[in-house]
Amino acid sequence: MALIEQLNQDMKQAMKHKEKDRLAVIRMVKASLQNESIKLGNKNLSEDEELTVLSRELKQRKDSLQEFKSAGRDDLVDKLETEINFIQGYMPQQLTEVELEQVIKSAIKEVNASSKQDMGKVMSTVMPKVKGKADGARINQLVQKHLS
């Protein structure tokens, strides 16, 4: 089922159950998807494009979460954590640490990387394979660890 259809069904359910927070998040995600569709000029987004939008929304909230935590805004921290949980429900299953390390090791072998200077090559090989399934910062840390 396409993501937009899933969002529409979940939106109806959230309305019926009067889940205001969930409804707000679904509407924001739908709006982001529609904006991306307009920006790209095609009516239906591919699964990869939808994943890009979801990842962007998730990253924005995670960045804001760190800012609010450091500012001591517990009221906004709770709200953002709830939003992050809702968005993660639409993301693909995240890779485990072991699976991620296997992908990184195979990418290092594939591009014959030997030092941190080859990090760009490794990252450009790894990222398309794990798009939406792992956090970019975590991937970066693991690649650095394996190249040092």
Side-chain angles (χ1 to χ4, degrees):
M1 175 184 318
L3 179 61
I4 202 79
E5 292 171 13
Q6 180 68 43
L7 287 169
N8 284 333
Q9 283 185 351
D10 291 348
M11 191 166 81
K12 289 175 188 175
Q13 221 172 15
M15 284 180 189
K16 286 179 184 176
H17 298 291
K18 299 186 184 342
E19 299 172 300
K20 291 179 184 178
D21 293 339
R22 185 169 184 213
L23 184 59
V25 172
I26 292 170
R27 284 180 173 156
M28 281 189 274
V29 171
K30 274 188 67 175
S32 294
L33 288 167
Q34 289 169 339
N35 288 339
E36 187 75 10
S37 176
I38 291 167
K39 184 176 119 183
L40 295 175
N42 54 344
K43 188 169 180 133
N44 295 321
L45 296 176
S46 70
E47 199 172 312
D48 198 39
E49 292 165 337
E50 291 174 344
L51 197 54
T52 301
V53 172
L54 280 176
S55 297
R56 186 182 322 131
E57 289 292 316
L58 197 56
K59 182 175 180 349
Q60 286 174 350
R61 282 168 178 78
K62 285 182 177 180
D63 291 345
S64 297
L65 184 66
Q66 294 304 321
E67 295 293 321
F68 292 146
K69 279 183 178 179
S70 64
R73 295 292 311 265
D74 294 334
D75 55 328
L76 295 174
V77 168
D78 293 340
K79 181 179 183 283
L80 273 179
E81 285 175 342
T82 303
E83 288 182 12
I84 288 170
N85 288 335
F86 287 142
I87 294 173
Q88 284 177 334
Y90 297 105
M91 297 291 286
Q93 181 68 38
Q94 297 294 296
L95 294 174
T96 65
E97 200 78 14
V98 174
E99 292 170 327
L100 190 54
E101 289 210 9
Q102 288 174 344
V103 171
I104 291 170
K105 286 176 185 176
S106 70
I108 289 172
K109 286 180 186 173
E110 187 178 320
V111 297
N112 295 322
S114 58
S115 68
K116 286 192 178 188
Q117 292 174 338
D118 299 322
M119 187 158 170
K121 292 179 193 173
V122 176
M123 290 296 287
S124 64
T125 304
V126 170
M127 291 308 285
K129 294 177 182 176
V130 298
K131 187 171 192 165
K133 297 178 184 176
D135 182 47
R138 184 69 190 132
I139 295 167
N140 193 332
Q141 288 173 345
L142 289 173
V143 169
Q144 284 182 7
K145 180 181 115 183
H146 286 284
L147 290 178
S148 56

